[in-house]
């Protein structure tokens, strides 16, 4: 990839609220696009900022005539929403927002674990009904967790669960010190009290949590997905909960988002539904904007970029 031009053109795939790019004023030509105008504006852009990380517009617009941006940055950890064969085969550099969401998501997972172990959802339901019903809750210290996904988010989840006294096994794409490989997943899931999905979406992980895997979990176990919705066969999870193959589950991501009011998932017994918010703490958009500005300074100075995605694997290597 050749060096940046003297006055680069930055194209932003917009979402509200817009990113704060004030430090680039007067130094960079900033243009904006939405799903309807992205394709026509791609050829004139040197850099594309995918601020609307819920959109699949890049995947649809990238194939076509004319030059393409030499660098694409997405304000998200996952890149499956923008990858297409043409982008994967190009020399365009793709970076992601690795590092922004790690600890917030880990805290969210810990909150879900504690909420389910301490039966907090039922406590709130009983309070609304003005019903005093004493119960016993579960101690989390000494339980076992299997965290699937050994990237920064998965590692942060593992550290946080260990701090609660949970014996935690981490599963990644390849086995190495402190990380199990895929061949160990079934064995670890079968003995886990908590199975946490934090893996990237790839061809190998699509639908990996299916009826077979839910069937091998303990009846007292719970499942949590903060990775990508397509990692889970939602019908199989609903069946596992309805038949009490497992004790509970929490989904923060879904195959189709937003989850429509007609979805049967809203009423699946033992399922906690949250609207893809596990990484979104107060000020998270400002953090994403600051991260991009720091990356842009490096790119404009011709320095190597961090967070470079392996476009064939679909994530930043080195996990």
């Amino acid at each position: 990839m050749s060096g940046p031009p003297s006055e680069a053109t930055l194209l932003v795939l917009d979402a509200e609220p817009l990113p704060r790019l004030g430090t680039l004023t007067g130094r960079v030509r900033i243009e904006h696009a939405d799903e309807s105008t992205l394709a026509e504006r791609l050829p004139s852009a040197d850099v594309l900022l995918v601020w609307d990380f819920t959109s699949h517009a890049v995947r649809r617009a990238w194939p076509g005539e004319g030059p393409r941006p030499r660098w694409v940055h997405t304000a998200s950890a996952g890149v499956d929403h923008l990858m297409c064969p043409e982008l994967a085969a190009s020399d365009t550099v793709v970076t992601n927002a690795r590092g922004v969401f790690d600890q917030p998501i880990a805290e969210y997972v810990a909150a879900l674990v504690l909420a389910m172990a301490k039966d907090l959802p039922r406590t709130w339901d009983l309070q609304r009904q003005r019903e005093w019903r004493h119960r016993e809750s579960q101690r989390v210290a000494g339980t076992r967790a299997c965290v699937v996904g050994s990237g920064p988010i998965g590692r942060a989840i593992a550290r946080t669960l260990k701090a609660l006294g949970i014996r935690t096994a981490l599963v990644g794409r390849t086995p190495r010190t402190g990380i199990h490989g895929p061949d160990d997943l079934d064995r670890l899931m079968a003995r886990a009290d908590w199975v946490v999905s934090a893996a990237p979406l790839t061809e190998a992980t699509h639908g990996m949590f299916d009826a077979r895997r839910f069937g091998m979990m303990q009846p007292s176990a719970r499942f949590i997905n903060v990775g990508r919705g397509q990692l889970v066969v939602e019908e199989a999870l609903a069946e596992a909960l309805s038949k009490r193959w497992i004790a509970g589950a929490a989904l923060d991501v879904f195959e189709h988002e937003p989850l429509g009011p007609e979805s049967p998932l809203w009423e699946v017994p033992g399922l906690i539904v949250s609207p893809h918010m596990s990484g979104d703490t107060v000020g998270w958009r400002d953090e994403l904007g600051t991260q991009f500005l720091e990356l842009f300074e490096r790119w404009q100075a011709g320095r190597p970029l961090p967070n470079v995605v392996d476009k064939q694997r679909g994530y930043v290597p080195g996990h």
Side-chain angles (χ1 to χ4, degrees):
M1 185 174 71
S2 60
S6 56
E7 185 182 16
T9 297
L10 167 62
L11 180 62
V12 182
L13 179 59
D14 286 341
E16 293 293 342
L18 297 177
R20 297 180 180 179
L21 303 174
T23 60
L24 301 182
T25 302
R27 302 166 46 202
V28 179
R29 185 184 304 110
I30 301 176
E31 299 181 354
H32 297 268
D34 57 21
E35 295 195 1
S36 65
T37 60
L38 181 63
E40 67 183 76
R41 296 183 181 176
L42 273 177
S44 64
D46 299 298
V47 179
L48 173 63
L49 169 57
V50 184
W51 191 248
D52 185 358
F53 52 81
T54 65
S55 170
H56 292 83
V58 176
R59 185 190 296 172
R60 294 190 294 267
W62 195 271
E65 300 299 324
R68 289 294 182 261
R70 289 170 295 164
W71 170 34
V72 174
H73 177 77
T74 178
S76 61
V79 299
D80 51 279
H81 60 289
L82 57 86
M83 294 304 299
C84 62
E86 292 81 1
L87 174 54
S90 72
D91 60 359
T92 294
V93 173
V94 176
T95 57
N96 71 354
R98 180 184 185 183
V100 172
F101 301 106
D102 307 354
Q103 191 57 33
I105 291 178
E107 293 173 4
Y108 199 88
V109 169
L112 289 170
V113 167
L114 290 169
M116 287 190 278
K118 305 307 177 184
D119 202 22
L120 293 184
R122 194 189 313 183
T123 295
W124 292 325
D125 286 341
L126 291 171
Q127 179 180 343
R128 284 192 292 269
Q129 299 168 27
R130 298 173 179 258
E131 182 175 347
W132 181 281
R133 187 187 303 176
H134 181 270
R135 290 108 59 216
E136 294 177 343
S137 64
Q138 180 183 4
R139 179 182 294 185
V140 299
T143 60
R144 297 177 182 271
C146 172
V147 179
V148 185
S150 60
I153 293 173
R155 295 198 300 270
I157 292 170
R159 287 193 303 270
T160 304
L161 295 184
K162 287 178 181 177
L164 295 175
I166 299 174
R167 290 174 284 179
T168 304
L170 194 58
V171 179
R173 182 174 180 267
T174 55
R176 51 204 183 276
T177 303
I179 298 176
H180 297 267
D183 291 345
D184 292 333
L185 177 57
D186 289 355
R187 173 179 62 84
L188 293 170
M189 282 187 64
R191 62 191 299 198
D193 300 290
W194 312 96
V195 176
V196 182
S197 164
L201 179 61
T202 67
E203 290 185 5
T205 62
H206 191 284
M208 67 183 299
F209 296 103
D210 54 12
R212 182 183 71 83
R213 286 209 159 108
F214 291 128
M216 69 176 55
M217 291 174 63
Q218 300 181 79
S220 59
R222 277 98 166 193
F223 175 80
I224 297 171
N225 186 21
V226 290
R228 308 298 285 179
Q230 294 84 352
L231 300 175
V232 177
V233 179
E234 293 174 347
E235 295 81 1
L237 175 60
E239 182 180 20
L241 289 166
S242 298
K243 294 183 177 180
R244 298 187 179 181
W245 294 349
I246 61 176
L251 297 179
D252 186 56
V253 287
F254 300 86
E255 184 175 2
H256 302 290
E257 297 183 7
L259 191 67
E262 75 288 348
S263 173
L265 291 175
W266 292 107
E267 297 183 358
V268 172
L271 177 62
I272 298 174
V273 171
S274 59
H276 203 150
M277 59 181 284
S278 60
D280 301 347
T281 53
V282 175
W284 66 283
R285 290 185 176 87
D286 289 339
E287 288 187 53
L288 289 172
T290 298
Q291 181 188 56
F292 173 73
L293 291 174
E294 292 173 352
L295 292 177
F296 193 91
E297 295 293 343
R298 295 179 65 96
W299 177 81
Q300 196 166 50
R303 298 163 58 196
L305 291 171
N307 293 12
V308 174
V309 173
D310 183 319
K311 294 184 291 184
Q312 303 304 319
R313 295 183 183 181
Y315 55 85
V316 178
H319 296 171

